[in-house]
């Protein structure tokens, strides 16, 4: 799958990333039954980790899109690449036993940078086809 080109307002994209990051925890579904009684159904224990991970990917995608626009303004050619799993990431979501946590990565030339919202450390990796990055990162910022 080719990398995704991004255009848009970086302020809007960043606000979207922040909103998605703030809603990582799945909320209960609220509705009414046939008699008008209020229903509140919490997500099951199986669904919660899946929703957290998918929401993290959504937040990291919006973050990547905002960063790509900012980089374009600075004259750097970058694109939203695809989800990647950084084996060095210390991620509490991995405690759910469902394997490495994936986030969206941006690609600039022959470099990949997985962007996990809420993390101050960035790792730059060489471009590889696999989802899970292996070996040593080129640098850490």
């Amino acid at each position: 799958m080719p990398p995704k080109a991004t255009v848009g307002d970086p302020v809007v994209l960043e606000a979207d990333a922040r909103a998605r990051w703030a809603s990582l925890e799945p909320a209960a579904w609220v509705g009414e039954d046939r008699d008008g009684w209020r229903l509140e159904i919490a997500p099951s224990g199986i669904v919660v980790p899946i929703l957290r991970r998918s929401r993290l990917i959504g937040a990291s995608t919006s973050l990547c899109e905002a960063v790509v626009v900012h980089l374009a303004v600075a004259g750097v050619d970058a694109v939203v690449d695809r989800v990647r799993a950084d084996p060095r990431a210390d991620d509490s979501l991995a405690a759910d036993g469902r394997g490495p946590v994936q986030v969206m990565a941006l690609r600039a030339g022959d470099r990949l940078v997985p962007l996990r919202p809420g993390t101050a450390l960035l790792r730059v990796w060489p471009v590889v086809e696999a989802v899970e990055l292996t070996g040593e990162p080129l640098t850490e910022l």
Side-chain angles (χ1 to χ4, degrees), residues 27-69:
W29 179 82
V30 178
E32 291 182 359
D33 68 8
R34 283 184 256 159
D35 298 324
W37 289 92
R38 183 175 190 266
L39 296 174
E40 188 171 317
I41 303 170
S44 73
I46 293 172
V47 173
V48 168
I50 295 167
L51 289 174
R52 280 188 195 128
R53 285 171 177 252
S54 67
R55 288 175 175 199
L56 176 61
I57 290 170
S60 69
T61 300
S62 293
L63 179 59
C64 276
E65 290 172 345
V67 170
V68 165
V69 173

mmCIF file of all heavy atoms in Angstrom, residues 27-69:
data_model
loop_
_atom_site.group_PDB
_atom_site.id
_atom_site.type_symbol
_atom_site.label_atom_id
_atom_site.label_comp_id
_atom_site.label_asym_id
_atom_site.label_seq_id
_atom_site.Cartn_x
_atom_site.Cartn_y
_atom_site.Cartn_z
ATOM 1 N N ALA A 27 -16.203 4.510 26.059
ATOM 2 C CA ALA A 27 -17.326 4.874 26.931
ATOM 3 C C ALA A 27 -18.444 3.844 26.783
ATOM 4 O O ALA A 27 -18.501 3.089 25.812
ATOM 5 C CB ALA A 27 -17.841 6.253 26.557
ATOM 6 N N ALA A 28 -19.317 3.837 27.742
ATOM 7 C CA ALA A 28 -20.496 2.968 27.676
ATOM 8 C C ALA A 28 -21.451 3.494 26.608
ATOM 9 O O ALA A 28 -21.531 4.698 26.362
ATOM 10 C CB ALA A 28 -21.193 2.930 29.027
ATOM 11 N N TRP A 29 -22.137 2.574 25.982
ATOM 12 C CA TRP A 29 -23.168 2.956 25.024
ATOM 13 C C TRP A 29 -24.416 3.304 25.818
ATOM 14 O O TRP A 29 -24.819 2.575 26.727
ATOM 15 C CB TRP A 29 -23.443 1.798 24.069
ATOM 16 C CG TRP A 29 -24.516 2.112 23.083
ATOM 17 C CD1 TRP A 29 -24.379 2.807 21.927
ATOM 18 C CD2 TRP A 29 -25.895 1.773 23.182
ATOM 19 N NE1 TRP A 29 -25.570 2.925 21.287
ATOM 20 C CE2 TRP A 29 -26.538 2.289 22.051
ATOM 21 C CE3 TRP A 29 -26.652 1.081 24.124
ATOM 22 C CZ2 TRP A 29 -27.895 2.140 21.827
ATOM 23 C CZ3 TRP A 29 -28.012 0.933 23.892
ATOM 24 C CH2 TRP A 29 -28.610 1.455 22.763
ATOM 25 N N VAL A 30 -25.029 4.432 25.505
ATOM 26 C CA VAL A 30 -26.233 4.871 26.216
ATOM 27 C C VAL A 30 -27.375 4.981 25.210
ATOM 28 O O VAL A 30 -27.209 5.532 24.126
ATOM 29 C CB VAL A 30 -25.998 6.239 26.909
ATOM 30 C CG1 VAL A 30 -27.264 6.703 27.609
ATOM 31 C CG2 VAL A 30 -24.836 6.147 27.888
ATOM 32 N N GLY A 31 -28.516 4.422 25.582
ATOM 33 C CA GLY A 31 -29.682 4.466 24.708
ATOM 34 C C GLY A 31 -30.943 4.185 25.498
ATOM 35 O O GLY A 31 -30.954 4.278 26.733
ATOM 36 N N GLU A 32 -31.987 3.842 24.772
ATOM 37 C CA GLU A 32 -33.272 3.527 25.410
ATOM 38 C C GLU A 32 -33.789 2.215 24.855
ATOM 39 O O GLU A 32 -33.575 1.890 23.690
ATOM 40 C CB GLU A 32 -34.301 4.621 25.115
ATOM 41 C CG GLU A 32 -34.009 5.934 25.776
ATOM 42 C CD GLU A 32 -35.104 6.966 25.481
ATOM 43 O OE1 GLU A 32 -36.070 6.661 24.753
ATOM 44 O OE2 GLU A 32 -34.970 8.088 25.986
ATOM 45 N N ASP A 33 -34.515 1.490 25.712
ATOM 46 C CA ASP A 33 -35.164 0.282 25.224
ATOM 47 C C ASP A 33 -36.511 0.655 24.614
ATOM 48 O O ASP A 33 -36.864 1.830 24.519
ATOM 49 C CB ASP A 33 -35.279 -0.767 26.336
ATOM 50 C CG ASP A 33 -36.235 -0.373 27.440
ATOM 51 O OD1 ASP A 33 -36.943 0.654 27.310
ATOM 52 O OD2 ASP A 33 -36.284 -1.101 28.456
ATOM 53 N N ARG A 34 -37.303 -0.344 24.228
ATOM 54 C CA ARG A 34 -38.597 -0.091 23.582
ATOM 55 C C ARG A 34 -39.574 0.646 24.474
ATOM 56 O O ARG A 34 -40.461 1.332 23.996
ATOM 57 C CB ARG A 34 -39.226 -1.418 23.142
ATOM 58 C CG ARG A 34 -38.587 -1.958 21.897
ATOM 59 C CD ARG A 34 -39.291 -3.201 21.459
ATOM 60 N NE ARG A 34 -38.392 -4.304 21.858
ATOM 61 C CZ ARG A 34 -38.751 -5.536 22.028
ATOM 62 N NH1 ARG A 34 -39.997 -5.895 21.870
ATOM 63 N NH2 ARG A 34 -37.882 -6.438 22.362
ATOM 64 N N ASP A 35 -39.404 0.516 25.776
ATOM 65 C CA ASP A 35 -40.319 1.167 26.716
ATOM 66 C C ASP A 35 -39.814 2.538 27.160
ATOM 67 O O ASP A 35 -40.411 3.158 28.045
ATOM 68 C CB ASP A 35 -40.515 0.273 27.949
ATOM 69 C CG ASP A 35 -41.138 -1.068 27.569
ATOM 70 O OD1 ASP A 35 -41.995 -1.079 26.654
ATOM 71 O OD2 ASP A 35 -40.736 -2.089 28.162
ATOM 72 N N GLY A 36 -38.732 2.997 26.596
ATOM 73 C CA GLY A 36 -38.200 4.305 26.945
ATOM 74 C C GLY A 36 -37.278 4.313 28.151
ATOM 75 O O GLY A 36 -36.882 5.381 28.615
ATOM 76 N N TRP A 37 -36.945 3.135 28.669
ATOM 77 C CA TRP A 37 -36.034 3.060 29.812
ATOM 78 C C TRP A 37 -34.601 3.281 29.329
ATOM 79 O O TRP A 37 -34.201 2.781 28.289
ATOM 80 C CB TRP A 37 -36.127 1.699 30.503
ATOM 81 C CG TRP A 37 -37.410 1.518 31.245
ATOM 82 C CD1 TRP A 37 -38.561 0.969 30.771
ATOM 83 C CD2 TRP A 37 -37.672 1.918 32.580
ATOM 84 N NE1 TRP A 37 -39.534 0.986 31.719
ATOM 85 C CE2 TRP A 37 -39.008 1.562 32.864
ATOM 86 C CE3 TRP A 37 -36.919 2.520 33.574
ATOM 87 C CZ2 TRP A 37 -39.605 1.816 34.092
ATOM 88 C CZ3 TRP A 37 -37.512 2.762 34.804
ATOM 89 C CH2 TRP A 37 -38.843 2.411 35.051
ATOM 90 N N ARG A 38 -33.866 4.023 30.111
ATOM 91 C CA ARG A 38 -32.468 4.320 29.770
ATOM 92 C C ARG A 38 -31.621 3.057 29.929
ATOM 93 O O ARG A 38 -31.714 2.351 30.924
ATOM 94 C CB ARG A 38 -31.936 5.417 30.696
ATOM 95 C CG ARG A 38 -30.536 5.846 30.386
ATOM 96 C CD ARG A 38 -30.140 7.036 31.287
ATOM 97 N NE ARG A 38 -28.912 7.631 30.875
ATOM 98 C CZ ARG A 38 -27.711 7.313 31.371
ATOM 99 N NH1 ARG A 38 -27.606 6.420 32.323
ATOM 100 N NH2 ARG A 38 -26.632 7.916 30.926
ATOM 101 N N LEU A 39 -30.794 2.803 28.919
ATOM 102 C CA LEU A 39 -29.871 1.671 28.947
ATOM 103 C C LEU A 39 -28.440 2.199 28.914
ATOM 104 O O LEU A 39 -28.137 3.158 28.215
ATOM 105 C CB LEU A 39 -30.072 0.774 27.726
ATOM 106 C CG LEU A 39 -31.402 0.064 27.585
ATOM 107 C CD1 LEU A 39 -31.454 -0.647 26.232
ATOM 108 C CD2 LEU A 39 -31.565 -0.947 28.704
ATOM 109 N N GLU A 40 -27.596 1.560 29.664
ATOM 110 C CA GLU A 40 -26.177 1.877 29.623
ATOM 111 C C GLU A 40 -25.427 0.554 29.555
ATOM 112 O O GLU A 40 -25.502 -0.253 30.481
ATOM 113 C CB GLU A 40 -25.760 2.668 30.860
ATOM 114 C CG GLU A 40 -24.361 3.191 30.781
ATOM 115 C CD GLU A 40 -24.032 4.155 31.907
ATOM 116 O OE1 GLU A 40 -24.873 5.010 32.236
ATOM 117 O OE2 GLU A 40 -22.925 4.020 32.449
ATOM 118 N N ILE A 41 -24.732 0.349 28.438
ATOM 119 C CA ILE A 41 -24.039 -0.915 28.221
ATOM 120 C C ILE A 41 -22.549 -0.639 28.093
ATOM 121 O O ILE A 41 -22.111 0.029 27.152
ATOM 122 C CB ILE A 41 -24.562 -1.623 26.952
ATOM 123 C CG1 ILE A 41 -26.080 -1.834 27.060
ATOM 124 C CG2 ILE A 41 -23.819 -2.931 26.720
ATOM 125 C CD1 ILE A 41 -26.726 -2.303 25.787
ATOM 126 N N ALA A 42 -21.802 -1.139 29.046
ATOM 127 C CA ALA A 42 -20.348 -0.962 29.024
ATOM 128 C C ALA A 42 -19.734 -1.932 28.030
ATOM 129 O O ALA A 42 -20.232 -3.054 27.860
ATOM 130 C CB ALA A 42 -19.781 -1.197 30.418
ATOM 131 N N PRO A 43 -18.650 -1.531 27.359
ATOM 132 C CA PRO A 43 -17.985 -2.464 26.445
ATOM 133 C C PRO A 43 -17.437 -3.663 27.220
ATOM 134 O O PRO A 43 -17.026 -3.529 28.367
ATOM 135 C CB PRO A 43 -16.851 -1.648 25.833
ATOM 136 C CG PRO A 43 -16.908 -0.305 26.424
ATOM 137 C CD PRO A 43 -18.011 -0.239 27.405
ATOM 138 N N SER A 44 -17.422 -4.808 26.575
ATOM 139 C CA SER A 44 -16.958 -6.032 27.235
ATOM 140 C C SER A 44 -15.442 -5.998 27.429
ATOM 141 O O SER A 44 -14.732 -5.230 26.791
ATOM 142 C CB SER A 44 -17.342 -7.255 26.403
ATOM 143 O OG SER A 44 -16.524 -7.330 25.253
ATOM 144 N N GLY A 45 -14.977 -6.858 28.300
ATOM 145 C CA GLY A 45 -13.547 -6.962 28.566
ATOM 146 C C GLY A 45 -12.741 -7.343 27.343
ATOM 147 O O GLY A 45 -11.554 -7.039 27.248
ATOM 148 N N ILE A 46 -13.365 -8.005 26.387
ATOM 149 C CA ILE A 46 -12.678 -8.382 25.155
ATOM 150 C C ILE A 46 -12.570 -7.188 24.215
ATOM 151 O O ILE A 46 -11.553 -6.981 23.560
ATOM 152 C CB ILE A 46 -13.428 -9.539 24.454
ATOM 153 C CG1 ILE A 46 -13.334 -10.797 25.305
ATOM 154 C CG2 ILE A 46 -12.884 -9.775 23.052
ATOM 155 C CD1 ILE A 46 -14.185 -11.942 24.818
ATOM 156 N N VAL A 47 -13.604 -6.370 24.182
ATOM 157 C CA VAL A 47 -13.662 -5.249 23.249
ATOM 158 C C VAL A 47 -12.817 -4.056 23.703
ATOM 159 O O VAL A 47 -12.237 -3.353 22.881
ATOM 160 C CB VAL A 47 -15.132 -4.822 23.026
ATOM 161 C CG1 VAL A 47 -15.236 -3.559 22.208
ATOM 162 C CG2 VAL A 47 -15.905 -5.946 22.370
ATOM 163 N N VAL A 48 -12.709 -3.827 25.007
ATOM 164 C CA VAL A 48 -12.014 -2.637 25.524
ATOM 165 C C VAL A 48 -10.586 -2.510 25.000
ATOM 166 O O VAL A 48 -10.213 -1.461 24.468
ATOM 167 C CB VAL A 48 -12.068 -2.589 27.067
ATOM 168 C CG1 VAL A 48 -11.121 -1.542 27.620
ATOM 169 C CG2 VAL A 48 -13.483 -2.316 27.536
ATOM 170 N N PRO A 49 -9.726 -3.544 25.100
ATOM 171 C CA PRO A 49 -8.360 -3.370 24.594
ATOM 172 C C PRO A 49 -8.306 -3.146 23.084
ATOM 173 O O PRO A 49 -7.458 -2.412 22.597
ATOM 174 C CB PRO A 49 -7.640 -4.666 24.962
ATOM 175 C CG PRO A 49 -8.590 -5.500 25.715
ATOM 176 C CD PRO A 49 -9.916 -4.823 25.765
ATOM 177 N N ILE A 50 -9.222 -3.758 22.357
ATOM 178 C CA ILE A 50 -9.260 -3.572 20.905
ATOM 179 C C ILE A 50 -9.634 -2.131 20.584
ATOM 180 O O ILE A 50 -9.019 -1.491 19.724
ATOM 181 C CB ILE A 50 -10.252 -4.559 20.258
ATOM 182 C CG1 ILE A 50 -9.752 -5.987 20.444
ATOM 183 C CG2 ILE A 50 -10.473 -4.229 18.783
ATOM 184 C CD1 ILE A 50 -10.768 -7.059 20.126
ATOM 185 N N LEU A 51 -10.622 -1.588 21.295
ATOM 186 C CA LEU A 51 -11.020 -0.197 21.073
ATOM 187 C C LEU A 51 -9.906 0.767 21.453
ATOM 188 O O LEU A 51 -9.662 1.748 20.743
ATOM 189 C CB LEU A 51 -12.289 0.129 21.862
ATOM 190 C CG LEU A 51 -13.572 -0.510 21.369
ATOM 191 C CD1 LEU A 51 -14.733 -0.225 22.328
ATOM 192 C CD2 LEU A 51 -13.912 -0.019 19.968
ATOM 193 N N ARG A 52 -9.210 0.512 22.560
ATOM 194 C CA ARG A 52 -8.094 1.378 22.959
ATOM 195 C C ARG A 52 -7.036 1.423 21.866
ATOM 196 O O ARG A 52 -6.539 2.478 21.494
ATOM 197 C CB ARG A 52 -7.456 0.867 24.243
ATOM 198 C CG ARG A 52 -8.194 1.242 25.481
ATOM 199 C CD ARG A 52 -7.371 0.847 26.708
ATOM 200 N NE ARG A 52 -8.208 0.876 27.878
ATOM 201 C CZ ARG A 52 -8.349 -0.111 28.749
ATOM 202 N NH1 ARG A 52 -7.673 -1.231 28.599
ATOM 203 N NH2 ARG A 52 -9.134 0.010 29.784
ATOM 204 N N ARG A 53 -6.671 0.258 21.370
ATOM 205 C CA ARG A 53 -5.634 0.191 20.343
ATOM 206 C C ARG A 53 -6.077 0.863 19.046
ATOM 207 O O ARG A 53 -5.298 1.571 18.417
ATOM 208 C CB ARG A 53 -5.243 -1.256 20.080
ATOM 209 C CG ARG A 53 -4.373 -1.828 21.189
ATOM 210 C CD ARG A 53 -4.187 -3.325 21.007
ATOM 211 N NE ARG A 53 -3.308 -3.864 22.001
ATOM 212 C CZ ARG A 53 -2.071 -4.280 21.748
ATOM 213 N NH1 ARG A 53 -1.580 -4.218 20.535
ATOM 214 N NH2 ARG A 53 -1.320 -4.762 22.724
ATOM 215 N N SER A 54 -7.305 0.648 18.644
ATOM 216 C CA SER A 54 -7.775 1.280 17.406
ATOM 217 C C SER A 54 -7.881 2.797 17.572
ATOM 218 O O SER A 54 -7.563 3.547 16.652
ATOM 219 C CB SER A 54 -9.113 0.683 16.955
ATOM 220 O OG SER A 54 -10.141 0.998 17.861
ATOM 221 N N ARG A 55 -8.273 3.253 18.744
ATOM 222 C CA ARG A 55 -8.328 4.691 18.998
ATOM 223 C C ARG A 55 -6.934 5.299 19.037
ATOM 224 O O ARG A 55 -6.734 6.428 18.605
ATOM 225 C CB ARG A 55 -9.088 4.974 20.285
ATOM 226 C CG ARG A 55 -10.573 4.718 20.113
ATOM 227 C CD ARG A 55 -11.321 4.878 21.397
ATOM 228 N NE ARG A 55 -12.743 4.724 21.131
ATOM 229 C CZ ARG A 55 -13.696 5.136 21.928
ATOM 230 N NH1 ARG A 55 -13.401 5.727 23.059
ATOM 231 N NH2 ARG A 55 -14.955 4.960 21.602
ATOM 232 N N LEU A 56 -5.955 4.556 19.541
ATOM 233 C CA LEU A 56 -4.567 5.032 19.533
ATOM 234 C C LEU A 56 -4.082 5.191 18.093
ATOM 235 O O LEU A 56 -3.424 6.177 17.751
ATOM 236 C CB LEU A 56 -3.662 4.078 20.302
ATOM 237 C CG LEU A 56 -2.170 4.425 20.275
ATOM 238 C CD1 LEU A 56 -1.913 5.798 20.889
ATOM 239 C CD2 LEU A 56 -1.380 3.355 21.012
ATOM 240 N N ILE A 57 -4.404 4.235 17.240
ATOM 241 C CA ILE A 57 -4.018 4.337 15.828
ATOM 242 C C ILE A 57 -4.680 5.561 15.196
ATOM 243 O O ILE A 57 -4.037 6.311 14.454
ATOM 244 C CB ILE A 57 -4.355 3.046 15.054
ATOM 245 C CG1 ILE A 57 -3.429 1.917 15.516
ATOM 246 C CG2 ILE A 57 -4.235 3.262 13.542
ATOM 247 C CD1 ILE A 57 -3.812 0.539 15.005
ATOM 248 N N GLY A 58 -5.944 5.801 15.504
ATOM 249 C CA GLY A 58 -6.632 6.987 14.976
ATOM 250 C C GLY A 58 -5.973 8.277 15.445
ATOM 251 O O GLY A 58 -5.768 9.208 14.661
ATOM 252 N N ALA A 59 -5.618 8.338 16.726
ATOM 253 C CA ALA A 59 -4.963 9.533 17.260
ATOM 254 C C ALA A 59 -3.587 9.719 16.636
ATOM 255 O O ALA A 59 -3.202 10.839 16.270
ATOM 256 C CB ALA A 59 -4.844 9.437 18.785
ATOM 257 N N SER A 60 -2.834 8.637 16.473
ATOM 258 C CA SER A 60 -1.497 8.768 15.892
ATOM 259 C C SER A 60 -1.576 9.120 14.406
ATOM 260 O O SER A 60 -0.701 9.817 13.891
ATOM 261 C CB SER A 60 -0.661 7.507 16.129
ATOM 262 O OG SER A 60 -1.145 6.417 15.396
ATOM 263 N N THR A 61 -2.626 8.679 13.728
ATOM 264 C CA THR A 61 -2.813 9.058 12.325
ATOM 265 C C THR A 61 -3.026 10.559 12.201
ATOM 266 O O THR A 61 -2.397 11.220 11.373
ATOM 267 C CB THR A 61 -3.996 8.291 11.705
ATOM 268 O OG1 THR A 61 -3.728 6.895 11.769
ATOM 269 C CG2 THR A 61 -4.228 8.702 10.263
ATOM 270 N N SER A 62 -3.909 11.110 13.032
ATOM 271 C CA SER A 62 -4.142 12.558 13.002
ATOM 272 C C SER A 62 -2.874 13.326 13.355
ATOM 273 O O SER A 62 -2.576 14.357 12.756
ATOM 274 C CB SER A 62 -5.269 12.944 13.966
ATOM 275 O OG SER A 62 -6.498 12.419 13.525
ATOM 276 N N LEU A 63 -2.125 12.821 14.325
ATOM 277 C CA LEU A 63 -0.860 13.452 14.707
ATOM 278 C C LEU A 63 0.124 13.422 13.537
ATOM 279 O O LEU A 63 0.755 14.439 13.222
ATOM 280 C CB LEU A 63 -0.267 12.752 15.929
ATOM 281 C CG LEU A 63 1.070 13.280 16.441
ATOM 282 C CD1 LEU A 63 0.980 14.745 16.824
ATOM 283 C CD2 LEU A 63 1.533 12.440 17.624
ATOM 284 N N CYS A 64 0.243 12.282 12.865
ATOM 285 C CA CYS A 64 1.129 12.185 11.697
ATOM 286 C C CYS A 64 0.720 13.178 10.611
ATOM 287 O O CYS A 64 1.572 13.831 10.004
ATOM 288 C CB CYS A 64 1.111 10.777 11.118
ATOM 289 S SG CYS A 64 2.223 9.621 11.914
ATOM 290 N N GLU A 65 -0.571 13.271 10.358
ATOM 291 C CA GLU A 65 -1.055 14.201 9.330
ATOM 292 C C GLU A 65 -0.673 15.640 9.681
ATOM 293 O O GLU A 65 -0.235 16.399 8.811
ATOM 294 C CB GLU A 65 -2.561 14.053 9.154
ATOM 295 C CG GLU A 65 -2.952 12.742 8.505
ATOM 296 C CD GLU A 65 -4.440 12.478 8.493
ATOM 297 O OE1 GLU A 65 -5.200 13.156 9.222
ATOM 298 O OE2 GLU A 65 -4.868 11.564 7.755
ATOM 299 N N ALA A 66 -0.811 16.014 10.951
ATOM 300 C CA ALA A 66 -0.445 17.372 11.372
ATOM 301 C C ALA A 66 1.057 17.595 11.217
ATOM 302 O O ALA A 66 1.495 18.646 10.726
ATOM 303 C CB ALA A 66 -0.875 17.608 12.820
ATOM 304 N N VAL A 67 1.863 16.622 11.608
ATOM 305 C CA VAL A 67 3.317 16.759 11.509
ATOM 306 C C VAL A 67 3.750 16.852 10.040
ATOM 307 O O VAL A 67 4.614 17.655 9.688
ATOM 308 C CB VAL A 67 4.040 15.597 12.229
ATOM 309 C CG1 VAL A 67 5.528 15.599 11.936
ATOM 310 C CG2 VAL A 67 3.784 15.682 13.728
ATOM 311 N N VAL A 68 3.137 16.059 9.172
ATOM 312 C CA VAL A 68 3.477 16.097 7.745
ATOM 313 C C VAL A 68 3.208 17.488 7.179
ATOM 314 O O VAL A 68 4.023 18.022 6.415
ATOM 315 C CB VAL A 68 2.705 15.005 6.968
ATOM 316 C CG1 VAL A 68 2.743 15.254 5.468
ATOM 317 C CG2 VAL A 68 3.273 13.630 7.291
ATOM 318 N N VAL A 69 2.099 18.105 7.565
ATOM 319 C CA VAL A 69 1.787 19.457 7.076
ATOM 320 C C VAL A 69 2.815 20.451 7.611
ATOM 321 O O VAL A 69 3.317 21.295 6.863
ATOM 322 C CB VAL A 69 0.349 19.866 7.465
ATOM 323 C CG1 VAL A 69 0.091 21.327 7.122
ATOM 324 C CG2 VAL A 69 -0.660 18.974 6.749
#
